[in-house]
Amino acid sequence: MLKRVRLLAGIGAGVVLVGLAAIACDSTPAKVSAPTTTTSTATPTSTTTTTAPAPTTSTATSAQASRPAPTLGLPWNTSQKGYGTVRPAVIDNGGDGTGVVDGVKWQSWGAATAVATGTAFYVAPDAPDLAHGVSLTATVQAFNLGMCHGKLMYQAVEWYFPSEDGTFDPNNYWNICTGARVGSN
């Protein structure tokens, strides 16, 4: 009986080695099957089979990982902050306080539009001057995702104040590829 067990074990090992050699020489991708285990209970008439889930891979994740993360445009002067970086925590146009958003927290990044909230200086349209402005929560939208100067970036950014009935206007923004203001605001 012992010789028979050793012979079967030797045959089983040989089959495994031949199978591995065939896989190593084959240029087609191998298919992975889920492992199966069989467990017998105390009574010989009952058998329970458990199948483990098959391994999964995500091609979308690997495709996104190979693409560089876009930046928030490019800085167009030396006193700016946040431009030319990924998910900046501060956006500063380098001028007066109405061009700054602090504490920026991005809810999304990498899609056609990136959305965040932060604190910015709001001056009401009827205010006599900037001294009458207040700090409020602003919604930031970076959009026009594309190539600029050979780099993937959001080429436009705008922020607005929902608490003051502000809404996103895709025709009113900073072109952060060129540094030009587009629209009336």
Side-chain angles (χ1 to χ4, degrees):
M1 177 72 175
L2 184 58
K3 280 185 175 178
R4 187 171 188 204
V5 170
R6 285 187 185 158
L7 177 64
L8 289 175
I11 291 172
V15 169
V16 169
L17 290 175
V18 170
L20 288 174
I23 290 171
C25 295
D26 190 2
S27 63
T28 59
K31 293 183 180 178
V32 178
S33 299
T36 304
T37 58
T38 304
T39 313
S40 294
T41 59
T43 55
T45 58
S46 173
T47 302
T48 305
T49 303
T50 307
T51 304
T56 60
T57 59
S58 173
T59 55
T61 303
S62 61
Q64 289 173 346
S66 65
R67 184 177 94 173
T71 63
L72 183 64
L74 292 172
W76 60 91
N77 75 49
T78 57
S79 60
Q80 294 178 314
K81 295 178 184 168
Y83 294 102
T85 65
V86 176
R87 292 180 174 259
V90 173
I91 301 170
D92 186 343
N93 291 344
D96 67 50
T98 61
V100 179
V101 185
D102 284 314
V104 179
K105 296 193 180 356
W106 295 94
Q107 286 83 41
S108 63
W109 191 268
T113 299
V115 179
T117 58
T119 303
F121 195 66
Y122 173 77
V123 179
D126 61 348
D129 54 38
L130 291 178
H132 290 86
V134 294
S135 290
L136 293 176
T137 299
T139 298
V140 179
Q141 286 195 242
F143 56 106
N144 287 353
L145 182 63
M147 299 301 286
C148 177
H149 302 291
K151 295 182 178 181
L152 181 64
M153 65 183 64
Y154 290 103
Q155 299 176 61
V157 67
E158 186 59 28
W159 53 88
Y160 56 93
F161 301 90
S163 65
E164 300 301 314
D165 297 325
T167 59
F168 175 67
D169 179 359
N171 300 308
N172 185 34
Y173 59 90
W174 281 102
N175 179 326
I176 49 182
C177 177
T178 66
R181 184 75 186 157
V182 177
S184 61
N185 202 6

